Structures are given as C-alpha cells and as structure tokens.
Amino acid sequence: MRPTRTGLAVGIASAALVVAGRVLGLAELYAIGAAVGLLALVCGLWVALRRLDIVVTRSVRPSRVHVGNPCTVAIQVRNRAGRATPVLRLLDPVTGTAGADLLLAPIGLRRTTDVAYRLPTTKRGIVTVGPMQVAMSDPFGLASTRNPAAPTVEVTVLPRVDDIPPLPRSVGPDPDGTAETGSLGRSGEDFAALRPYIVGDDLRRVHWPSSARTGDLLVRQHDIPWQGRVCVVLDLRRQASDDVTLERAISAAASVLRTHLRRGDHVRLLTTTGVDSGYGVGASHLDGLLEYLAVAARSSSGSLRMAMELVERGASGAVVLVSGSLSSADMELFERSGSAVSLRRIVRFDGSQRVTTPRRTEVLGIGPGEEFAAAWTESTGATAGRRRRRRQVVS
C-alpha cells in the first residue's frame, strides 16, 4: 500500500492544519486537520485490508505481425472473490510508448470482464509488453496498492512485405549438381534418358521402340524439376543508408525473399555484417529470415567486399543487392563477383535513375516518393521481355 499524489497532498494539508490550529489556538483548524488525517488513515487501512481474488489472462494476437498490420492485446479478468471488486486499474507497460492504462468497472461475484487495446506496429522490432499490474485504490483515491497480474511477453514486428513478381527464371548451374536449361521442365516431364525397367515402374513410361530394338524393356527417365536459386545481399553499412532508406531496403529484401520462396526457389540472405542464412526453402526458412530482418540494424563495421566474397563462394542463379546508396566502386565490385551468377540486380533507394548497365547488372533506382513494388514490377516485366527476345534470336 502506498499513498497517491492526492493522498500525499491531503496528508500534508492535514498536518499543516493541525500545526496551525495548535499555534494559533484555533480549535476549528485543529479539528479539521485531525478529521482529514483520520480520513487518510482509514483509506489506507481500507486498501491494505482489502484482498482481491482475481485471475487475469492476457493474450496477444498475433504474436508476429508485419509493420502496419493490426495487433491486439486481449485481457480477461475473472473475479473469484465472494463480493464485487472495487474499480480496478490495469497498467501494462509497452516499449516505446506510455503503456496501456485501463480502468475496469466493478466486477460482480463469479463474473468475467473482457477488455482489449491495440499495440503500435508502425516500427519493426521487438515490442515488450508487461509485466502487467492491477492497481486498486480507495473510493477517495488517497491510497492504492499494486499487484502483479500477467508476465512479460514479446511481440515481433516484422518488416513490411510487398506483393511483387519474382525474377524471371535464370539459366545457370545448380550447386547441387543439376543444371537448368531454360524455362521448360518445371513439371518434371522433360525426357532425359532411358534406363532398364524395374519392377514397379509405370508401364506407361516404357519406351517401346527402343525396347523392341534392344530386346529389353527400357523406361523413359524424366528430369527432376530444377529449383531456382536467389541470393539477396542486404547492405547494412552505416554510410550506405539513413533511417528511412534502411527501412525501405529491409522491406525490399523481405519482399524479394518471400516472393521467391513462394515460387519454390532456394533463397539465401547475406548481409554486409557477415550474416549468411545459407540456401533454404519452405515456411520455416522464411520465418527465420523475417525474424532476423525484424531486428537488423546498421553497422559501422560492415563490409560489402566480405559479402561479395561469400557470393563468390556459393551463389548461382540470381543475386539481388539491396542498399540505400552505392558508390561506383561498390557497383563495380558487385559486377565482378559471382562467376556463376546469371542474373544480377541492384536495388538502391537514393533516387538514381533506373538504367541497365552495359554489362550484366540491372540497376533499379527508387526515389523517396516512389513505391518499391511498382518500380520492381515494371523492371521485372522489362527484364522478362528482354530475355524472351534473346531466346527468340538464339532459336
């Protein structure tokens, strides 16, 4: 139990009136001061002796949310005491804000009440909620007590993810030993070779002309569908971005990773701080990448050269470099790295004009007022058109 601000003021006023009454010899002031002090004492005893028997349940839905999406904290309070509760106050700290401060009307015997509030999701990161306390005060608000009600929970605010089209399927070697020969063969129905018949094989796959020539049953063997590979390099160097462009770069990287994982590609995330996720597929891989991107921050010790060395060791297919801004030396370094890379793209948020370099790298420059999704979609469509024209010329 502790006095409130009002209670402290009342206590000081009571003492002043008592002293003034004694000094001035005014019994009225003395009586008023004593009465006020007695009221404060009674209120303190009321709070100290009042026992609550409540059960507080708090749930956060969802516990992982993207920037800008709603997130609700639902609270249920059940009264198990033999009488109604007084007016209760729920205090729930939230990082980055003043926290939640909720007033509950008296809850009747064996009754339950539900309240809720919204969590701020304007910034990515980890939002800590709690520990929650339930506060009770006397009817005059002179004394109060606080008791723990719910533990601390964490909510992960993931970066914003835009719906964008994936890059055109690239042609290049597969690190696992297969090779892609173009956009065909994705269903696994391309003819690859003949092999001897094994008991249990589908007879519809028997190649009868070859079987007739050799006298043995031969079965058509088809290619296993090739999975594309996309490596996203995120530039976290302090000199490469400010707070605004960093958020846009992280959101762009998350969007590229998700759209290619949805297509079934193997994706990999590299950063200039040395983080390397390795190639992976599936929802669990995406969850891990988004969890990291939720807390990624700029670093003064980052190195683009180190990231490009990692690209050189194992990247193939497509590589996308996402940065706030890049120097000409940075772009030249990116151009030279990754001998097995067949598609290169730079996404930069410094507002530079979107151009295609004379060599192998596409540069997508996005200005402050321009939407990443629209610029990416336009550029990807143009890239796909150029690749179709090249295939037509070759054929």
Side-chain angles (χ1 to χ4, degrees):
M1 187 275 297
R2 62 181 180 179
T4 63
R5 291 183 178 180
T6 304
L8 287 174
V10 168
I12 294 173
S14 172
L17 288 172
V18 169
V19 171
R22 294 284 292 182
V23 171
L24 299 176
L26 297 176
E28 293 83 358
L29 289 180
Y30 185 85
I32 293 174
V36 172
L38 180 62
L39 175 63
L41 178 61
V42 170
C43 290
L45 290 174
W46 187 91
V47 170
L49 298 176
R50 189 70 182 264
R51 291 291 181 263
L52 292 176
D53 189 7
I54 61 174
V55 176
V56 180
T57 304
R58 178 183 60 196
S59 60
V60 182
R61 299 189 296 264
S63 59
R64 298 170 71 252
V65 59
H66 288 277
V67 168
N69 290 346
C71 181
T72 302
V73 178
I75 304 170
Q76 184 180 81
V77 183
R78 182 163 60 94
N79 179 23
R80 300 189 303 184
R83 56 183 173 179
T85 68
V87 174
L88 300 179
R89 186 179 179 187
L90 300 181
L91 304 172
D92 210 9
V94 179
T95 54
T97 71
D101 189 345
L102 309 173
L103 284 178
L104 300 182
I107 306 172
L109 171 63
R110 310 297 181 186
R111 294 295 183 88
T112 300
T113 186
D114 296 292
V115 293
Y117 66 91
R118 288 284 186 91
L119 277 182
T121 59
T122 55
K123 296 182 179 179
R124 65 181 177 87
I126 305 297
V127 177
T128 302
V129 181
M132 180 189 292
Q133 292 183 321
V134 56
M136 177 185 65
S137 64
D138 63 272
F140 294 95
L142 302 183
S144 68
T145 183
R146 294 185 181 184
N147 297 299
T152 300
V153 296
E154 290 185 344
V155 179
T156 304
V157 182
L158 305 173
R160 172 183 168 180
V161 178
D162 295 312
D163 289 326
I164 58 174
L167 292 168
R169 295 192 185 274
S170 57
V171 179
D174 183 347
D176 288 342
T178 61
E180 183 183 19
T181 56
S183 60
L184 300 177
R186 293 292 164 181
S187 63
E189 294 298 327
D190 268 5
F191 176 78
L194 295 174
R195 61 172 176 81
Y197 173 82
I198 300 174
V199 176
D201 282 338
D202 189 347
L203 291 176
R204 290 174 297 181
R205 294 187 179 273
V206 174
H207 194 261
W208 296 108
S210 299
S211 299
R213 287 196 303 270
T214 61
D216 295 319
L217 286 179
L218 298 177
V219 178
R220 294 188 299 269
Q221 181 171 318
H222 301 281
D223 277 335
I224 299 174
W226 189 91
Q227 290 180 293
R229 275 170 162 72
V230 177
C231 177
V232 175
V233 181
L234 178 60
D235 190 357
L236 295 177
R237 294 176 299 166
R238 188 171 297 277
Q239 69 271 22
S241 61
D242 54 24
D243 291 340
V244 175
T245 55
L246 174 67
E247 296 305 316
R248 300 192 73 189
I250 290 176
S251 175
S255 302
V256 175
L257 291 167
R258 189 184 72 166
T259 193
H260 285 92
L261 275 171
R262 283 183 170 181
R263 189 172 71 176
D265 295 336
H266 283 80
V267 301
R268 175 190 186 190
L269 175 65
L270 288 173
T271 72
T272 52
T273 57
V275 172
D276 185 357
S277 70
Y279 283 104
V281 295
S284 60
H285 187 57
L286 176 61
D287 288 343
L289 295 177
L290 292 178
E291 290 277 356
Y292 167 74
L293 291 176
V295 297
R298 290 182 296 166
S299 173
S300 57
S301 60
S303 169
L304 182 61
R305 182 175 299 277
M306 175 181 62
M308 291 300 100
E309 289 175 355
L310 293 174
V311 169
E312 186 69 38
R313 292 174 191 171
S316 65
V319 175
V320 180
L321 172 60
V322 185
S323 177
S325 63
L326 294 169
S327 65
S328 57
D330 293 334
M331 297 179 66
E332 185 67 24
L333 176 64
F334 179 73
E335 172 74 21
R336 295 196 308 267
S337 301
S339 57
V341 174
S342 58
L343 191 155
R344 302 166 184 268
R345 176 173 290 187
I346 291 175
V347 179
R348 50 193 296 183
F349 290 92
D350 57 358
S352 59
Q353 185 180 5
R354 294 197 299 275
V355 296
T356 301
T357 62
R359 287 172 288 182
R360 300 179 296 168
T361 302
E362 300 175 356
V363 181
L364 178 59
I366 303 173
E370 191 174 3
E371 291 292 334
F372 162 72
W376 175 276
T377 301
E378 178 186 351
S379 177
T380 301
T383 301
R386 288 193 297 270
R387 290 195 161 221
R388 284 195 298 268
R389 289 192 293 272
R390 289 173 188 167
R391 285 198 294 266
Q392 292 172 356
V393 170
V394 171
S395 59

